[in-house]
Amino acid sequence: RIVETDSLKRISTFRSFFKAEDKITALCPLENGSMAMGTESGTFSLVKADGDETWTAKLKGPVRDIGIAKGLLVAGHDSASLTCFNQTGKNLWTTEIERKPSPWPWWELPTPAAVQVAGGISNGKPFFAVGCGDLQLRCIDSKGKELWSVRHYGGVPGRVAVADIDSSGKHRIIEGGEILSCTSACNIFEPDGRMIVGLPVEGWTSMLTALAFGKSLGRHFIGCGANRGANLHLYELGDKGWERRWLKRLGGQVKSIQILGARNRIMAATSQGFLLCYDLEGELIWHRLFNQGIQHLVPMNEKLLVIDHMGGLRKVDILGNIEKLDPLPAPCLITATKDVHIFLTSGSEILYF
């Protein structure tokens, strides 16, 4: 075990990409290098790859999340709104989400807010998976019509992703309860609403606090983190579907996971400040303890960028060697990657490496 000290040399590397008028609450990169961005007050902007603003629109805030599919940008905002723009800034539609009452209103948010939005493609058509404050996972088409919805058991689906998790070329929806949740199960759906599998993570009053996908030599993995108990799980796709390979019980919440398949490693970071490195069979290789709880892990060339909950930055290599960087001016809420660049939000500013 190595405990970090303040004697590590600091290196200044990040640069300013864009500065908004108020706190940035949503960020999503486009294929062309542009960045869609939303703020607490409701500003929704498209920023070009060089940092110049292409266009901006004013929505009722806050902008909670942004999903992108086939040139459509959909923002979840305000108490229950979804608004779609094209890449030229034309407002195509706005829809209001109607609450579907659940048997457990104490697990719901006060409104059916679109807290997570993820875009995908199915049969050549764009869709948007939306995690909502009334415990519903909804699928919305390119016109704003709800195609289907399903209730997450006892929790707001505050972690939603769309990804090709098995190299089939098909998008699947992966969701879990991260807000006011009574169970941290990770559920996988087809875009048509059929449930593929529910992966158990933890039980009563647990939240899915981290989610990662990876592959190695033809093998496919899903890493799940929770806020307590058995809080680090690695699942692998086998002949019988997704099966758990191993689990760990780490102190604190598992805040971030990275699966480095080419290196036969999985990295996990906790709210207690631990960074742990395992091989894909679950053997602990090394661990490090930082002065602050860790919020994000982001791949950075052959290393990881480690971001603590105060905005402190370090680079860590596969062997656990640490380089300390200049801290961010404020805590980092969101990270995004595009090509070789890493983008971080810090208050009202987007910074990049």
Side-chain angles (χ1 to χ4, degrees), residues 36 40 61 88 151 166 197 228 271 300 311 319 323 343:
E40 196 166 48
T88 65
R151 182 189 298 136
D166 57 6
V197 68
R228 64 166 190 85
S271 59
M300 190 178 193
L319 300 176
E323 293 179 64
F343 297 87

Side-chain angles (χ1 to χ4, degrees), residues 31 46 50 69 143 171 187 196-197 245 249 272 303:
E31 286 297 324
L46 185 67
D50 61 6
K143 304 296 183 182
H171 277 164
N187 302 311
I196 298 172
V197 68
R245 291 300 177 223
R249 298 176 182 271
Q272 299 273 353
K303 300 181 180 181

Side-chain angles (χ1 to χ4, degrees), residues 225-253:
N227 62 316
R228 64 166 190 85
N231 55 4
L232 177 62
H233 300 245
L234 187 69
Y235 284 89
E236 182 177 0
L237 182 61
D239 294 338
K240 298 180 180 179
W242 289 98
E243 300 176 328
R244 181 163 49 208
R245 291 300 177 223
W246 49 263
L247 64 85
K248 306 292 179 183
R249 298 176 182 271
L250 309 181
Q253 300 183 23

Side-chain angles (χ1 to χ4, degrees), residues 138-185:
R138 291 175 166 86
C139 188
I140 307 295
D141 71 8
S142 61
K143 304 296 183 182
K145 178 185 176 182
E146 182 180 308
L147 299 174
W148 55 265
S149 69
V150 63
R151 182 189 298 136
H152 182 89
Y153 173 69
V156 175
R159 189 167 292 274
V160 178
V162 172
D164 177 3
I165 54 175
D166 57 6
S167 298
S168 65
K170 298 179 180 179
H171 277 164
R172 268 54 181 248
I173 300 168
I174 307 95
E175 66 87 21
E178 193 193 13
I179 305 171
L180 299 178
S181 181
C182 81
T183 175
S184 57

Side-chain angles (χ1 to χ4, degrees), residues 93-205:
W93 50 261
T94 295
T95 187
E96 297 296 317
I97 299 169
E98 294 187 11
R99 175 177 175 261
K100 296 181 179 180
S102 79
W104 320 286
W106 51 87
W107 292 117
E108 296 182 36
L109 295 180
T111 71
V115 296
Q116 288 272 279
V117 184
I121 306 292
S122 178
N123 296 322
K125 297 179 180 179
F127 69 87
F128 296 89
V130 184
C132 302
D134 59 353
L135 314 190
Q136 296 287 329
L137 173 70
R138 291 175 166 86
C139 188
I140 307 295
D141 71 8
S142 61
K143 304 296 183 182
K145 178 185 176 182
E146 182 180 308
L147 299 174
W148 55 265
S149 69
V150 63
R151 182 189 298 136
H152 182 89
Y153 173 69
V156 175
R159 189 167 292 274
V160 178
V162 172
D164 177 3
I165 54 175
D166 57 6
S167 298
S168 65
K170 298 179 180 179
H171 277 164
R172 268 54 181 248
I173 300 168
I174 307 95
E175 66 87 21
E178 193 193 13
I179 305 171
L180 299 178
S181 181
C182 81
T183 175
S184 57
C186 175
N187 302 311
I188 305 175
F189 294 89
E190 296 282 8
D192 63 7
R194 288 177 295 155
M195 187 173 178
I196 298 172
V197 68
L199 307 178
V201 181
E202 245 300 341
W204 183 242
T205 66

Side-chain angles (χ1 to χ4, degrees), residues 201-214:
V201 181
E202 245 300 341
W204 183 242
T205 66
S206 64
M207 298 182 291
L208 188 71
T209 52
L211 181 65
F213 315 114

